[in-house]
Amino acid sequence: TDNTGGVLPGVTVEASSPAMIEGSRLVVTDGTGQYNIVNLRPGTFSVTFTLPGFGTQVRDELVLAAGFAMDIDVALSVGALEESVTVSGQSPVVDVQQVQRTEVLTRAVQEALPTGRSTWSYASLIPGVKIQKPDVGGISGAQQNVMFGRGAEVADTMVEIDGLMVNTLIGDGGWQGYFNPMMTAETSYTTSGITAETQLGGMRINMIPQEGGNQFSGSFFGGGTTKGMQGDNWNERLGDLGVPEVGGIPHVEMIYDFNGSVGGPIIRDKLWFFSSARRNVLDNKIINSFKRDGSPGVDDNSITSAMSRMTWQLNDRNKISVMFDKVRKRRFHVHGSGDDWDTASEVWTSPHYDTGTAKWTGALSSRVLVEFGFSLVYEDWDP
């Protein structure tokens, strides 16, 4: 509007951010003074409002999260073209445009939380979300954990990468792959008010992938634990009940997680890349399981993955992105309490999890945005 409250059609609104490979997006207000800029990447934005005969206004340092509709109202004053007003750090924190309940975990928050760095360990922190079993310090990271919203079934949970469904065919889609946590810039968990674009009515998890940028950058995470870092709650009373001190209490034998990523430009403002790899080893002792030499039996596992993503800005209106993630999982001795560790064989029948996405986004006009996407989910079940 102008400073008297009258609506202003024809105002040029430009949103710019380093998170966008095209750099900025332009729209123009309609006859009622309304404007919409859709399909923006999460990040920090600067929005500029210009109209001949009026002073320019800039809203700077606006932090846009995934799945959030930001409402920015501006009143322009009559003034010289060179006049401008800049307002910084005024990001709305309440979404007044949507009724859905969405919690967003940024990459920084996910790395700071002392969790198992998996989709389900993050989900356990979201209000209204339940998981099948607890994952304390990543001890359950080698075996999938179903997630569901309260009042919904496991098969109603939708898992997406950049809005494209990547549910597996295991358990009617209730079981998911082992996603590399550094793959995502943000992850949104929607527990109510699911929109019509999602075919299921339960919880919706959307992982917003990292794309690289105009500057080369990378990150590395390393963590782990050994059996010497875990407390022992065995006592004489358990011994009186016949529980042996060695092998009678579940223990962590060893966990380590190494995860790195790198991204940057191949052609500035035109072609970006992002790649990441992870090696995660999780070995847990099994109750009442022994090797032939008397030492405790161990359920030993490893998960190795690598992914790459390319983002190509064909022109100012068309963008293509492709991603592929390959996971190799090994579970070497599948056994339970009382089983013979030495005769336990590698019977885990799904060692390969491949996930891929491809997406074209085209702004056909200031009023029409078209998206076409394809997702691939593949599990290789050995006999």
Side-chain angles (χ1 to χ4, degrees), residues 135-149:
D135 183 14
V136 181
I139 60 174
S140 299
Q143 308 305 324
Q144 299 180 30
N145 207 338
V146 297
M147 306 163 286
F148 52 97

Side-chain angles (χ1 to χ4, degrees), residues 262-284:
V262 63
I266 298 176
I267 303 174
R268 290 181 60 86
D269 299 322
K270 193 72 174 180
L271 185 62
W272 290 353
F273 83 95
F274 180 85
S275 296
S276 179
R278 185 188 192 193
R279 171 71 173 177
N280 193 15
V281 170
L282 307 101
D283 298 342
N284 296 313

